[in-house]
Amino acid sequence: MREGLSEGDAQITMPAKFVSEEAFKVHEGFGGSSQFDDQRAQFEHPRPYTNLELALKEYIPSNIGIKLSDCSWDALFDKVCNAETKYHDKDDSAREIFKNLWLKIGKNYEVINPWIDLIPDCYGLAVVKSGIAVTLKMAEKSAEKRQKILTTFKGIRDTLGAAKLKRKSFQTDPEVSKCATRLYFAVVDAIEELLRSLPTKKSLEWGRLIPRFKIKQQPENPDTVLERLKDSAEELARTVDKCRDKEILITRHLSEDTNTQVRIIRQDLKNTEINTRETNTNVVLIKDKVGKVHDFLRRGNLNIENIGADIKMQGKQNDEIIDLIREQRGRRREMANIQALMDDILKARNELLYLLCEDRKKKEVEIAQLNQCLNAERQHTGGTNRALTAVVHLDRLLVIIAQSVFTQSKIPGVESILLHPNDDLESILVQKGKFDIKSQGQAQSILQQVRFSIWMGQEHPDLLLVDGNIRSAALSNISAMSLFCANFVVSMAKLQPEEVLTHFFCGLHTSSTDPWYGPNGLVRSLIVQLLMALHERELLSLDFINSRTYLNSLEYHNLDDLCNALHRLVGQFPPEATVYCVVDSVSCFDKYLPESSQDLKPVISWLQYIVKDDSLRTKFKVLMTIPRISTKQLRQQVDDSQHITLNSSNLNSLTISNRSMEAGIPRPSTSPILRSRSYTDITEGDYDNDSDEW
């Protein structure tokens, strides 16, 4: 069970409902038939076969005489099939229901197992196969009844095969996924009903093994059970056709646009045809002369064709062998991809559930604490020395910092001001699937850099600029480096909850209508996060805002005074605290927004000044990342020892996750050598600065 998601936690219900009903609208990767388990607080594949499994364990030994000890369900399936001596190795055996189908598409052939997509759990599929085999075995005495059962399940197999041909997976469309799940449950219910209705050598207590039989005292008619099962299969087929028709309609609109372009091309072809006719007249004259030569060559070609026919026959045989090998590989690849898709969907839904729960808890605590403090300050404005010198209250200062002076937007509420950093984290984390594994592995390789370990471990303020050197992120505001920064903040909050974590994603605030736009918005966002961190620790003092002139300058968002306020707030933390400042995609304000590049230069200068402030009490650590390569102007503002470039030939192709981040983040060092070592002690041999890439 994930840490932070305890059993019976009422706060899990709403996020779980969101993941189940709404998450697939964000991305189809959050779809699927997995169900939320209240006891384990996570999503799992449905397991309707649990009661059937228990019933078979008592039914088989007493009625068929096969021992179940040290025998898997797949092996049991083979034993039951072999026990049907009358139908052994015939088309009427249980094996026929679960054989692979060859579906012909033009000249291409595809081998599929239609049951895999319906029952993604391999163990559950083995139980269902054994249940059907036992049902056919017990129906041997009635050939008509056995044939009805066999025909029904063959029909389901063919329906699944046809549906699979129209859809690569049942799990990517919500309606198809729901119908497939209902058919899965209907198959299991039908097996249970048929076993109960068939004559047995030794009766069982069905009400004890299958709870719903306690209410239904009499078994159902097998024909009714099989008819209901057919209806469920037909419902799946109709739903798949409906999904396919929807996609065909979209394709039709695209085809109409293409037809318009084809008409123009046809007109050009018509003009070309006229010119070609004139040319053909001249060609006919030449053709008569060439005809005599062709007669001579044709006689020679007869011998060549005979040789070519032999070569072609040999090549055809070779091609057939190659095609068979490719088909087998494709079959194994498809089965592996289906299983991987199921696992990825399950993992993604649980990760999103965990994130929503943790975010909600944190927001509720912060808002409650802030409201309590603001009420107390309004009632006791003259009770402390702070109120005598500061010319502004905390609630008013938050509104001043957050409200944009360039847009006529309404005054933001305290809650929306506090939520924007966490909203940025969510925006980055849900885009994980957009970045390829190689880019994620290269971004995560920063954890292996010696310079990064020193930045994390030393007991002094420090600044580090990291060039991601990711070629695929050249024109993107959000990159794999953004995903690394978001996971770093989340992992650090879990590993070192006592430390202060501030962050800002420049790529999310490039619009001039955004209240946190540009370098000015970057500084204001950091101020809001520091105000809340100081307030939570009861360390906040606003005494440095002791004049109306200074307050008026903050109201107009004067960049120099905002940076000065940032410096004052960082200085209020005690010596034992560490304040992390993570700024991602700085290049968005430096390279892609020319109007912001002039404001970025003084902001970086102030961050450098705070880091090098000899009287600063706390450990202030700044991490700035760039997805590609930083500009010469930006590199000139940091020392050579404060800049590293990741190697583009990194071979570590691992996706970024909380587990890999927590394992790779260096822990605080207890070594006096590492604690005393600062960035000025680093030589070029201490870390790999891949500057050749530029």
Side-chain angles (χ1 to χ4, degrees), residues 287-353:
K287 185 177 180 180
D288 292 338
K289 298 179 181 179
V290 175
K292 296 179 180 180
V293 178
H294 282 177
D295 292 337
F296 175 76
L297 295 177
R298 188 179 298 109
R299 289 191 295 271
N301 286 339
L302 291 176
N303 295 328
I304 296 175
E305 287 175 358
N306 293 332
I307 298 173
D310 295 336
I311 296 174
K312 186 176 180 180
M313 179 64 67
Q314 184 65 36
K316 184 177 181 181
Q317 294 175 353
N318 294 337
D319 290 340
E320 290 176 351
I321 296 173
I322 293 173
D323 289 339
L324 288 174
I325 295 173
R326 287 175 178 171
E327 288 170 357
Q328 291 296 327
R329 289 179 179 174
R331 177 185 172 188
R332 290 194 297 268
R333 238 186 341 260
E334 182 180 10
M335 294 177 67
N337 290 339
I338 291 175
Q339 187 63 44
L341 176 63
M342 301 298 102
D343 294 338
D344 288 344
I345 290 174
L346 192 65
K347 182 178 178 181
R349 299 186 85 179
N350 284 322
E351 289 288 348
L352 182 59
L353 173 66

Side-chain angles (χ1 to χ4, degrees), residues 6 36 145 160 175 217 278 287 292 325 367 371 376 381 386 405 438 458 474 503 536 567 610 629:
S6 60
F36 181 71
K145 184 180 296 183
L160 293 175
E175 293 301 323
Q217 297 296 330
E278 296 176 355
K287 185 177 180 180
K292 296 179 180 180
I325 295 173
I367 293 171
N371 288 333
T381 54
R386 295 179 183 178
V405 297
K438 185 178 184 300
Q458 69 167 315
H503 58 272
E536 290 174 1
H567 186 191
I610 297 173
I629 297 294

Side-chain angles (χ1 to χ4, degrees), residues 553-567:
S553 181
L554 294 178
E555 289 178 345
Y556 282 93
H557 294 175
N558 179 273
L559 185 59
D560 192 64
D561 285 330
L562 286 172
C563 292
N564 178 271
L566 177 68
H567 186 191

Side-chain angles (χ1 to χ4, degrees), residues 477-515:
N477 291 342
I478 303 300
S479 66
M481 292 298 292
S482 307
L483 183 63
F484 168 84
C485 290
N487 278 273
F488 173 79
V489 172
V490 173
S491 299
M492 285 293 293
K494 182 177 180 181
L495 295 175
Q496 302 180 30
E498 71 281 0
E499 306 298 2
V500 181
L501 289 160
T502 62
H503 58 272
F504 188 83
F505 296 91
C506 302
L508 296 178
H509 304 286
T510 57
S511 171
S512 58
T513 60
D514 193 311

Side-chain angles (χ1 to χ4, degrees), residues 184-248:
Y184 181 12
F185 277 76
V187 168
V188 175
D189 290 345
I191 295 172
E192 294 173 350
E193 290 284 359
L194 290 172
L195 284 176
R196 186 188 183 197
S197 64
L198 292 172
T200 59
K201 297 179 181 179
K202 183 179 179 180
S203 60
L204 299 179
E205 297 180 11
W206 290 103
R208 174 177 61 84
L209 297 174
I210 301 176
R212 62 191 177 90
F213 286 165
K214 292 181 180 179
I215 301 174
K216 297 172 62 175
Q217 297 296 330
Q218 296 298 325
E220 271 191 274
N221 188 307
D223 292 339
T224 304
V225 174
L226 294 176
E227 190 64 32
R228 186 165 60 245
L229 189 55
K230 290 179 183 178
D231 293 341
S232 297
E234 291 172 357
E235 181 187 3
L236 175 62
R238 290 194 298 271
T239 305
V240 171
D241 288 340
K242 182 179 179 181
C243 179
R244 182 197 59 185
D245 294 343
K246 188 188 301 181
E247 295 181 356
I248 290 175

Side-chain angles (χ1 to χ4, degrees), residues 6 48 53 63 65 67 109 113 127 143 148 207 222 241 262 264 277 318 415 494 538 558 571 671:
S6 60
E53 179 184 8
N63 288 278
K67 296 182 179 180
Y109 293 86
N113 189 333
V127 174
K148 285 183 179 181
D241 288 340
V262 169
I264 299 174
R277 287 176 186 155
N318 294 337
E415 182 176 353
K494 182 177 180 181
E538 298 182 353
N558 179 273
S671 169

Side-chain angles (χ1 to χ4, degrees), residues 32-33 35 46 118 171 176-186:
S33 60
Q35 298 175 342
L118 179 69
Q171 308 300 327
V176 176
S177 176
K178 290 179 181 178
C179 285
T181 301
R182 287 196 292 269
L183 178 57
Y184 181 12
F185 277 76

